Amino acid sequence: MKKSDFFGVASTREEHNNQMHNLGRIFTWIALGFICALPIVYCISAGVTPNWSQLGVCVPFMAGYWAIGLIEALSYAPLLGTGGQYLSFITGNISNLKLPCSLNSQTIAKTKQGSEEQEIVSTISIAVGSIVTTVIIIIGLIPLAIFQNEIVNVLKPVSPYVIPAIFGGLTMVLMAKYFKIAVIPFAVCLLICLVGNLIGYGETVNSQSTMVIVGMVVSIISTLVLYKFNKI
């Protein structure tokens, strides 16, 4: 791509993808810069330094999140599209907001997987979702600042059900749209959860990191087998 076309209008799918990758990398590095600058600025302003021994203890815990992030980047890419993936990973809340928003918009628009229409619809829906979320958060901060204790006490009893409700709705969307592909990893993960609870390892087995990795591996294997036998 020519430098003059960096911020221009793409005429082909390849040019569009190149633009999205170039811009996505730039804004990703900018976002990472702000994220890394926040603790540095805080330490300088507060006159404190990190406890490096405690930080070393946290490395295995952080490695788990790095693994989840890598797996999410690989598994969400076909569903979010090029532009949508960069937008999602920069703004956050992928599994509980950006991914359901993208899938729902694709379902309503009846786009074909991997098509230009899917790319455009996904990117627009995620961008609009990010703007709406930001506006709602700003509006919500006003009453939260005034009635913080009252709001927290009201929402505390229902907070454990929020994430299961979101993932449950997302699961039904994926099951309905990609039943043959989704039913096998869903059944395997469900079986692992049941067995884990029966043998007393439910808290470890049912963790998000475990289920994401297991679901990813089973999905790849089952999809390859189904494709080999011409079932999909």
Side-chain angles (χ1 to χ4, degrees):
M1 180 183 294
K2 299 179 181 179
K3 292 184 178 180
S4 59
D5 296 333
F6 190 81
F7 292 102
V9 178
S11 59
T12 65
R13 179 75 179 273
E14 183 180 359
E15 289 182 358
H16 169 78
N17 287 334
N18 289 335
Q19 283 184 346
M20 291 299 101
H21 283 302
N22 289 329
L23 293 173
R25 289 170 186 143
I26 291 174
F27 284 104
T28 298
W29 282 112
I30 292 175
L32 288 173
F34 279 112
I35 293 172
C36 295
L38 183 60
I40 295 174
V41 171
Y42 174 80
C43 289
I44 295 174
S45 60
V48 298
T49 57
N51 188 331
W52 299 109
S53 61
Q54 292 296 321
L55 185 61
V57 175
C58 297
V59 170
F61 176 78
M62 294 186 293
Y65 279 93
W66 294 337
I68 293 174
L70 178 61
I71 293 172
E72 287 182 346
L74 295 175
S75 58
Y76 291 163
L79 300 174
L80 298 174
T82 307
Q85 186 177 21
Y86 283 111
L87 273 174
S88 298
F89 278 90
I90 291 174
T91 56
N93 291 327
I94 304 174
S95 58
N96 63 338
L97 180 63
K98 305 301 167 51
L99 183 60
C101 181
S102 175
L103 291 176
N104 189 46
S105 63
Q106 294 175 41
T107 301
I108 294 174
K110 298 179 180 179
T111 59
K112 185 180 179 181
Q113 187 72 26
S115 63
E116 296 181 7
E117 290 80 7
Q118 181 207 21
E119 171 77 22
I120 295 172
V121 169
S122 177
T123 304
I124 293 175
S125 64
I126 293 171
V128 173
S130 300
I131 296 172
V132 172
T133 303
T134 304
V135 172
I136 292 176
I137 290 175
I138 294 174
I139 296 174
L141 286 176
I142 299 174
L144 184 62
I146 301 173
F147 307 104
Q148 181 176 357
N149 293 331
E150 291 81 359
I151 293 176
V152 170
N153 291 333
V154 170
L155 296 179
K156 191 174 182 179
V158 300
S159 58
Y161 304 99
V162 174
I163 297 300
I166 293 173
F167 276 96
L170 179 60
T171 300
M172 292 307 299
V173 172
L174 292 174
M175 290 285 288
K177 193 170 184 179
Y178 310 103
F179 181 77
K180 290 182 179 180
I181 299 175
V183 67
I184 297 177
F186 175 77
V188 172
C189 290
L190 181 61
L191 179 62
I192 292 176
C193 289
L194 293 175
V195 173
N197 287 324
L198 289 175
I199 63 178
Y201 290 93
E203 185 175 349
T204 302
V205 174
N206 298 344
S207 65
Q208 180 181 348
S209 57
T210 303
M211 286 296 98
V212 169
I213 295 174
V214 171
M216 181 74 174
V217 173
V218 175
S219 298
I220 294 174
I221 296 174
S222 61
T223 303
L224 288 174
V225 172
L226 291 172
Y227 180 78
K228 183 177 180 60
F229 288 95
N230 296 322
K231 298 298 182 181
I232 57 174

